[in-house]
């Protein structure tokens, strides 16, 4: 019997942020910086082989301590970014998001639907799995992006679970080649 190599991905939703309109440069809050520091303790006994992140500053900053602790660079990939809502701020983020989960093709002008985010997310994961087989990978990412991935592999993961997802949140996913095996929330 041949044992298939397993690849483990730790998806890390960014820590708490200080709101600024610039989506890409939005920084961690003071609490978020403490949360990011705590990531080092959480991952102190887990050997990480690769660290990959959304190019958004909050995602990078949340996992930078773990990358440094493992002596690894953070490779950024644009396709790991958060969903594009529209060109500017919206008034009722909660209602917008709930509607997107009800109608997964719904989107605002110049924005992405959840189906589009999910397609981008799952392709990004598949590409990472193909190039990093039998490795342990940490990916710094965002709530909607991560929820779209979890929903792809577990259709019961939806709007209510997205609402309850904390900042930061960590989910461990295990794959054999590109075949999904399991996932679990990691307690922070």
């Amino acid at each position: 019997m041949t044992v298939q190599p397993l690849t483990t991905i730790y998806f890390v939703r960014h820590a708490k942020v200080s709101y600024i309109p610039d989506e890409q440069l939005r920084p961690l809050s003071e609490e978020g910086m403490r949360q990011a520091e705590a990531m080092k303790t959480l991952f102190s006994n887990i050997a990480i082989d690769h660290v990959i992140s959304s190019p958004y500053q909050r995602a990078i900053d949340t996992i930078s301590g773990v990358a440094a602790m493992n002596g690894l660079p953070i490779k950024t990939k644009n396709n790991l970014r958060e969903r594009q809502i529209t060109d500017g701020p919206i008034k009722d983020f909660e209602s917008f998001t709930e509607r997107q989960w009800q109608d997964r093709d719904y989107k605002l002008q110049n924005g992405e639907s959840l189906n589009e985010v999910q397609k981008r997310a799952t392709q990004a994961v598949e590409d990472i799995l193909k190039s990093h087989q039998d490795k342990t990978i940490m990916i710094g990412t965002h709530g909607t992006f991560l929820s779209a991935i979890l929903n792809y592999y577990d259709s019961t993961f939806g709007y209510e679970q997205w609402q309850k997802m904390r900042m930061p949140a960590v989910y461990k996913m295990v794959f054999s080649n590109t075949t999904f095996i399991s996932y679990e929330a990691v307690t922070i």
Side-chain angles (χ1 to χ4, degrees):
M1 183 169 113
T2 304
V3 176
Q4 291 292 324
L6 296 180
T7 303
T8 301
I9 300 179
Y10 288 93
F11 286 95
V12 179
R13 180 191 190 185
H14 63 80
K16 292 189 177 178
V17 299
S18 290
Y19 181 80
I20 63 169
D22 189 322
E23 180 79 12
Q24 292 187 12
L25 298 178
R26 193 169 296 154
L28 296 181
S29 65
E30 285 187 31
E31 181 181 3
M33 288 185 271
R34 288 190 296 275
Q35 292 170 329
E37 186 67 22
M39 285 289 154
K40 292 186 334 191
T41 302
L42 179 66
F43 285 93
S44 63
N45 294 318
I46 300 170
I48 304 293
D49 298 306
H50 300 279
V51 181
I52 307 168
S53 181
S54 154
Y56 292 9
Q57 195 62 49
R58 61 193 181 270
I60 294 168
D61 289 347
T62 300
I63 62 172
S64 64
V66 177
M69 186 173 73
N70 285 276
L72 297 170
I74 298 174
K75 298 174 186 165
T76 60
K77 294 193 178 290
N78 192 47
N79 58 359
L80 299 175
R81 71 191 180 280
E82 183 59 295
R83 88 184 134 175
Q84 174 70 28
I85 295 174
T86 189
D87 290 332
I90 61 172
K91 292 183 181 183
D92 191 348
F93 179 75
E94 290 292 326
S95 293
F96 164 76
T97 301
E98 185 174 13
R99 182 167 176 192
Q100 276 206 312
W101 280 97
Q102 290 169 352
D103 176 0
R104 296 174 51 85
D105 289 315
Y106 173 72
K107 63 182 177 179
L108 299 176
Q109 184 175 358
N110 298 323
E112 289 179 288
S113 71
L114 281 185
N115 281 335
E116 290 170 332
V117 173
Q118 188 173 69
K119 182 177 179 181
R120 172 170 54 85
T122 54
Q123 183 61 57
V125 170
E126 187 172 309
D127 291 345
I128 289 168
L129 289 168
K130 286 178 180 176
S131 61
H132 297 86
Q133 288 187 17
D134 198 24
K135 300 294 181 188
T136 300
I137 306 152
M138 173 178 276
I139 296 179
T141 192
H142 308 272
T144 302
F145 181 94
L146 177 53
S147 295
I149 291 170
L150 294 171
N151 173 263
Y152 180 79
Y153 295 108
D154 175 4
S155 63
T156 66
F157 193 100
Y159 176 71
E160 289 179 16
Q161 291 75 19
W162 171 85
Q163 276 189 309
K164 294 175 185 174
M165 188 183 285
R166 300 175 62 154
M167 282 188 225
V170 178
Y171 285 82
K172 175 184 177 181
M173 299 185 81
V174 179
F175 298 84
S176 175
N177 294 315
T178 59
T179 303
F180 170 72
I181 303 294
S182 66
Y183 83 90
E184 66 180 296
V186 177
T187 303
I188 299 175

